[in-house]
């Protein structure tokens, strides 16, 4: 099967796109052409796939031209941005739209009727769960994922400043939006935190291991932030604001607080002073992630669904972990 996977918005190393969906397709023996803004993000395409570079947030004409190149001889298109659906060439294979959130009955209704739609029921939020992560430590907290104003960057920087007198460092692992890069550089320059920028996904997950806690101070309006699953999969207690609380409360793996620097500070310091609690929360989260959110357990079903939508014979897959 030949699959074209396309985005004009997301980082080419986006974990859901590259490290789960594309990797599962490649491991199952399928050919993948990846349309993504490689140059904009200064990314070298991964081995094993065909790359088509496209400008970030490309205008209609350039997005359509990139799709034409990427979809040549393709059996299926997986689009990760709604805008790409408006740039589809007339001649095209079956189209799959990965919405990343639940679609209301009236929202994008025409697209839902005309194309296949990936929802969490088809591709659940998942992570790569470590077999045996180290216990949580007591000298640093981590935040994994893209850094923007609506994801709590200002609160993270103020929290980092408050943590310094208590001997706790903050590691920020992820790319940042243009509007917040100066404040992150300034905070790093004066020694408040360490900002590593974008790090390849598997390495980023390893970098979180052994932290005191994983932070999720804001999130999209629906669903569980993937970073919470990443923390759980690495045996870290989670400190989150209310959008991430249902899973955290279900798994019993962390603390839910208000989006308030004082509240988050108190939660982190409480965990610092209680190593047994840190260990118990981390172990419960890890066990829950391993049982329900380990991506290799879902990869074969995803590939089979894509094969079915493409109209190719469904094989029995043995996917690499």
């Amino acid at each position: 099967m030949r699959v074209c996977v396309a985005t004009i918005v997301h980082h080419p190393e986006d974990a859901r796109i590259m490290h789960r969906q594309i990797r599962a397709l490649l491991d199952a023996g399928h050919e993948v052409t990846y349309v993504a803004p490689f140059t904009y993000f200064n990314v070298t395409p991964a081995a094993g796939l065909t790359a088509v570079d496209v400008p970030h947030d490309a205008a209609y004409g350039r997005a359509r031209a990139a799709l034409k190149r990427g979809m040549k001889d393709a059996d299926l298109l997986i689009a990760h941005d709604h805008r790409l659906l408006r740039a589809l060439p007339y001649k095209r294979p079956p189209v799959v739209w990965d919405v990343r959130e639940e679609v209301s009955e009236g929202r994008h209704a025409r697209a839902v009727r005309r194309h296949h739609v990936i929802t969490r029921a088809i591709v659940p939020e998942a992570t790569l769960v470590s077999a045996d992560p180290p216990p949580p430590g007591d000298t640093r907290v981590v935040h994994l994922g893209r850094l923007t104003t609506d994801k709590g960057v200002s609160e993270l920087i103020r929290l980092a400043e408050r943590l310094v007198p208590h001997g706790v460092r903050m590691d920020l692992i992820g790319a940042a939006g243009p509007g917040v890069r100066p404040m992150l550089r300034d905070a790093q320059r004066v020694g408040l935190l360490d900002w590593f920028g974008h790090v390849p996904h598997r390495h980023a997950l390893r970098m979180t291991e052994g932290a005191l806690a994983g932070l999720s101070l804001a999130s999209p309006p629906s669903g569980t932030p993937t970073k919470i699953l990443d923390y759980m999969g690495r045996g870290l207690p989670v400190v989150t604001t209310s959008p991430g609380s249902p899973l955290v409360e279900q798994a019993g793996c962390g603390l839910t607080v208000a989006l308030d620097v004082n509240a988050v500070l108190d939660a982190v310091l409480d965990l610092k002073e209680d190593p047994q609690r840190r260990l118990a929360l981390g172990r419960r989260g890890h066990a829950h992630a391993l049982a329900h959110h380990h991506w290799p357990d879902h990869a074969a079903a995803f590939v089979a669904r894509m094969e079915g939508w493409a109209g190719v014979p469904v094989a029995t897959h043995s996917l690499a972990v």
Side-chain angles (χ1 to χ4, degrees):
M1 178 173 70
R2 296 184 179 91
V3 183
C4 177
V5 179
T7 179
I8 57 173
V9 174
H10 299 289
H11 195 289
E13 288 284 335
D14 179 89
R16 180 179 175 90
I17 302 174
M18 181 65 230
H19 297 285
R20 292 199 283 277
Q21 296 182 12
I22 290 178
R23 182 53 55 193
L25 291 164
L26 291 174
D27 289 344
H30 297 303
E31 299 177 25
V32 176
T33 297
Y34 190 13
V35 177
F38 295 102
T39 298
Y40 178 85
F41 286 105
N42 194 27
V43 169
T44 300
L49 55 78
T50 301
V52 175
D53 193 32
V54 65
H56 181 257
D57 208 19
Y60 173 86
R62 300 191 73 174
R64 187 180 179 91
L67 284 177
K68 282 185 176 179
R69 289 179 57 198
M71 289 192 302
K72 185 178 180 181
D73 300 324
D75 300 300
L76 189 73
L77 167 68
I78 304 177
H80 285 267
D81 317 313
H82 180 255
R83 282 181 53 198
L84 286 173
L85 301 183
R86 298 195 291 269
L88 292 174
Y90 176 75
K91 185 179 181 181
R92 59 180 182 263
V95 176
V96 179
W97 174 31
D98 187 343
V99 299
R100 298 198 178 207
E101 59 187 32
E102 299 307 320
V103 180
S104 64
E105 193 169 324
R107 187 175 183 221
H108 304 318
R110 185 180 179 188
V112 171
R113 290 194 302 268
R114 296 181 63 183
H115 308 300
H116 302 291
V117 177
I118 295 178
T119 65
R120 290 191 192 90
I122 295 171
V123 181
E125 293 296 344
T127 187
L128 297 174
V129 180
S130 173
D132 186 24
D138 64 359
T139 60
R140 65 188 180 102
V141 292
V142 296
H143 178 279
L144 180 61
R146 185 164 175 81
L147 295 154
T148 58
T149 301
D150 63 348
K151 294 187 178 181
V153 168
S154 297
E155 289 82 3
L156 286 168
I157 293 173
R158 294 204 303 273
L159 175 64
E161 184 176 14
R162 299 283 299 280
L163 286 171
V164 169
H166 300 279
V168 179
R169 293 281 296 178
M170 180 180 292
D171 287 350
L172 303 180
I173 308 167
V180 302
R181 290 172 194 164
M183 68 175 73
L184 289 169
R185 293 192 189 104
D186 289 345
Q188 181 163 256
R189 189 177 299 116
V190 298
L192 296 184
L193 51 81
D194 290 310
W195 173 40
F196 295 92
H198 173 76
V199 176
H201 185 58
R202 288 177 182 268
H203 184 47
L205 291 177
R206 289 193 294 270
M207 288 173 66
T208 68
E209 293 182 351
L212 190 161
L215 305 176
S216 178
L217 303 193
S219 77
S222 63
T224 297
T226 304
K227 63 173 64 70
I228 289 181
L229 297 177
D230 292 335
Y231 302 148
M232 293 167 62
R234 300 291 145 163
L236 301 184
V238 178
V239 176
T240 182
T241 52
S242 55
S245 63
L247 176 61
V248 172
E249 292 174 357
Q250 177 187 3
C253 63
L255 306 177
T256 300
V257 298
L259 183 53
D260 174 81
V261 173
N262 289 327
V264 179
L265 176 68
D266 289 344
V268 171
L269 295 181
D270 285 349
L271 290 175
K272 179 177 172 61
E273 298 304 317
D274 194 341
Q276 292 305 313
R277 188 183 190 192
R278 290 200 308 270
L279 183 62
L281 293 173
R283 284 178 172 173
R284 286 200 290 268
H286 180 261
H288 187 92
L290 187 62
H292 302 287
H293 300 288
H294 188 37
W295 171 246
D297 295 340
H298 304 282
F302 162 73
V303 172
R305 179 65 67 101
M306 298 305 105
E307 290 171 338
W309 283 343
V312 302
V314 176
T316 300
H317 304 291
S318 178
L319 297 176
V321 177

